[in-house]
Amino acid sequence: MKIKLLLTALILATISLNQSCKKKGAEPVAYTKIYDNFSFIVDTTNGAGNLTLGVYEVETDIISELSAAGFTVNNLTSVKINEIKLEATTPGQTLDYFRRIEIQLRNLTSADVNFATKDLPENFENNFVVFSDEGVDLKEYFKETGLIFTVSAINELPIQPDRLNLRLSLKFDVQASL
C-alpha cells in the first residue's frame, strides 16, 4: 500500500513538473533587437557613381538572449526590420548627394542579402532617411554570432567640400517559439 501511494505521488509530481516546464517553454518570445550608433565618415568625391558608405560588423548576442528564455536559434521564427535610420550628423548636411541607398547583410555562411533600399528624390532636403520593412526575413543570418552590414549608395553629386558624417541605427523584431 505504501509503495502504491509513493508511486502515485511520484507520477503526479512528474506530470506536474513536466506541465510547468512545457508552459514556460511554450510561451513565444518577441522583442526588439537594437544596433545603434554606428558612425562612419564618407570622404569627399569628385564624381558620381556607386559608393560604399560604411561597413558595420557586430557580434550578436541573440543566442544567449534566446537561451535565457529557454530557446535556441533553431526556434527563431522571424527576424524582420522594425526601423532603420540613416542620418547625417553634421549640422547643415543633408542626404541630397544620393539617389539610392541600400543596406546589405551577410555573415560567414550566407551570401549578401539586400534587405533595405530607399530611393531618394532630387533635391532631398532631409538630413535623415528611415527604411521600413520590405518583407525580408533575416532569421537565417541571425543564427550566426557575427553580422556584417554594408551601406552603399548611388550618388549623383560630388561630395564636396566637406566629408559626410553619417550614423546608422538598426532595429529588428525578433520572434521565437517552439
Side-chain angles (χ1 to χ4, degrees):
M1 182 72 161
K2 280 185 171 181
I3 293 177
K4 191 175 184 181
L5 186 60
L6 184 59
L7 198 54
T8 303
L10 184 59
I11 290 171
L12 288 175
T14 303
I15 291 171
S16 176
L17 180 61
N18 190 25
Q19 289 299 326
S20 68
C21 288
K22 282 184 181 176
K23 286 180 185 173
K24 182 182 181 215
E27 295 294 324
V29 171
Y31 64 95
T32 300
K33 182 68 185 161
I34 300 172
Y35 300 102
D36 59 355
N37 294 324
F38 166 46
S39 297
F40 49 97
I41 298 171
V42 179
D43 284 326
T44 59
T45 63
N46 290 324
N50 296 327
L51 288 175
T52 296
L53 303 180
V55 177
Y56 181 37
E57 295 184 38
V58 301
E59 292 295 319
T60 182
D61 53 356
I62 285 184
I63 293 171
S64 61
E65 291 170 352
L66 291 173
S67 179
F71 293 94
T72 69
V73 292
N74 294 326
N75 300 119
L76 274 176
T77 56
S78 175
V79 178
K80 293 191 176 183
I81 296 172
N82 174 303
E83 179 183 273
I84 297 174
K85 183 177 183 181
L86 179 67
E87 63 183 314
T89 58
T90 302
Q93 287 184 329
T94 69
L95 299 177
D96 187 42
Y97 302 101
F98 309 113
R99 290 303 136 246
R100 181 181 193 91
I101 301 173
E102 298 177 339
I103 304 174
Q104 297 87 28
L105 173 63
R106 72 177 187 272
N107 58 26
L108 296 177
T109 60
S110 302
D112 288 10
V113 62
N114 184 11
F115 70 95
T117 302
K118 196 70 159 182
D119 291 316
L120 303 178
E122 288 188 35
N123 302 316
F124 187 74
E125 298 293 325
N126 292 339
N127 71 328
F128 70 93
V129 63
V130 177
F131 299 80
S132 57
D133 183 14
E134 295 183 6
V136 179
D137 193 342
L138 303 169
K139 71 180 177 187
E140 294 303 318
Y141 290 85
F142 279 79
K143 288 181 178 181
E144 300 287 330
T145 56
L147 302 171
I148 303 168
F149 297 97
T150 303
V151 182
S152 58
I154 298 172
N155 69 312
E156 282 190 352
L157 302 171
I159 299 173
Q160 293 180 356
D162 299 318
R163 299 184 306 175
L164 189 58
N165 297 299
L166 299 174
R167 180 174 48 234
L168 180 68
S169 299
L170 305 135
K171 296 178 185 177
F172 298 95
D173 290 330
V174 178
Q175 296 181 359
S177 65
L178 293 178

